[in-house]
Amino acid sequence: MDNPIIQFERWWQAALADSPLQQKSAVCVSTIDENGFPSGRFVDLKAVSSTGFVFCSYFDSAKGRQISRQPKTAMTIWWDHVGYQIRVVGVTHVISDVEADCFWQSRSRSAQLTTTAFSQSEPLNSEHELSTRLEASSAHYADRPVPRPKNWGGYRIKPISIEFLTFRESRLHLRELFEIKGDGWVKQLLQP
C-alpha cells in the first residue's frame, strides 16, 4: 500500500468493526500551548480524506487558541483491540462553514445543547453549575432547532507524515512511515 490515506481508511474500518470501545473514533490531538509545551486531549475523529483528518471543537477553547497561534498539530491513535497505532503530524486549518454545519447537524441534540451551554476550557464556579447551565440552554431551545454557535466548527489536519505501527507480541512491530515529498508520499520502514 503506497497511499497512507487509503491505508488509514482500511484500518479505521477494521477498528470500528465489532469494536469494544465506547468512543470508537476517539483520537488524541496534540497542540503547542503558549509556553511551548505539548497539550494533548481526545477528540472525535469526524472524517478523513486526501485533504486531511477532521475533528470539531470550539474555536475559542484552549485547543482552538493554540491552533490559531501555532497550527502545527499531531494526532495519535491506539486501537488496542486490533493492534494498530497511527501517528499523524501536520498543519491544521479551519474547515468551511458548510462542512461545519453538516457536522453540527450530525450531532445529537444533547451534544448541541451542551455545546451552547458552555465555554469550553473556561473556569467553572461549581459542579452544580453544570446542570443549571444545561437546563437554561434546554429551555431556551425547547421548541426549535439548536443553531451552530459561531465559535464552534471544525479543523482539518493536513498531514505531512503518517506512521502506521502494527503491534506484534514478539515486539517486532511493523512500522511504516509515509512522508510528503514533492507531490506524493514516500514510504520508509522503521525499526521497531
Side-chain angles (χ1 to χ4, degrees):
M1 178 66 60
D2 291 324
N3 184 323
I5 301 302
I6 293 172
Q7 182 166 332
F8 182 91
E9 289 171 332
R10 288 181 180 166
W11 279 26
W12 194 13
Q13 292 310 309
L16 290 173
D18 299 320
S19 173
L21 302 173
Q22 288 286 329
Q23 305 301 322
K24 295 174 177 34
S25 293
V27 299
C28 180
V29 168
S30 298
T31 53
I32 305 296
D33 75 11
E34 61 277 3
N35 296 310
F37 289 99
S39 179
R41 80 287 287 153
F42 284 90
V43 300
D44 185 42
L45 181 63
K46 298 293 186 185
V48 63
S49 71
S50 60
T51 60
F53 300 82
V54 177
F55 64 94
C56 294
S57 185
Y58 298 81
F59 297 134
D60 52 1
S61 66
K63 88 176 77 60
R65 291 189 308 270
Q66 290 164 4
I67 289 169
S68 76
R69 187 174 47 258
Q70 173 51 270
K72 293 178 180 174
T73 306
M75 181 179 77
T76 308
I77 305 161
W78 170 237
W79 289 315
D80 182 61
H81 62 290
V82 288
Y84 295 154
Q85 174 186 274
I86 304 167
R87 295 174 33 191
V88 176
V89 173
V91 178
T92 302
H93 305 279
V94 174
I95 65 173
S96 71
D97 284 341
V98 171
E99 290 176 285
D101 288 340
C102 289
F103 288 120
W104 179 258
Q105 293 304 319
S106 73
R107 296 182 67 145
S108 68
R109 184 170 177 84
S110 64
Q112 291 175 344
L113 289 168
T114 300
T115 300
T116 61
F118 299 99
S119 299
Q120 190 176 61
S121 304
E122 293 302 312
L124 184 70
N125 293 323
S126 70
E127 188 175 344
H128 175 72
E129 189 178 349
L130 288 171
S131 58
T132 57
R133 289 183 71 148
L134 182 57
E135 288 168 9
S137 182
S138 298
H140 182 75
Y141 294 108
D143 298 321
R144 56 193 172 116
V146 182
R148 178 176 66 88
K150 294 298 180 201
N151 68 333
W152 188 94
Y155 293 98
R156 178 175 284 108
I157 303 172
K158 182 171 177 52
I160 60 169
S161 71
I162 304 173
E163 180 190 325
F164 298 89
L165 180 144
T166 304
F167 180 80
R168 295 177 176 159
E169 289 292 337
S170 66
R171 309 301 286 182
L172 297 178
H173 312 313
L174 176 62
R175 293 177 62 194
E176 304 165 277
L177 175 64
F178 292 83
E179 295 180 292
I180 287 284
K181 301 283 186 188
D183 292 336
W185 291 98
V186 175
K187 180 180 175 179
Q188 172 69 58
L189 295 180
L190 301 176
Q191 297 182 39

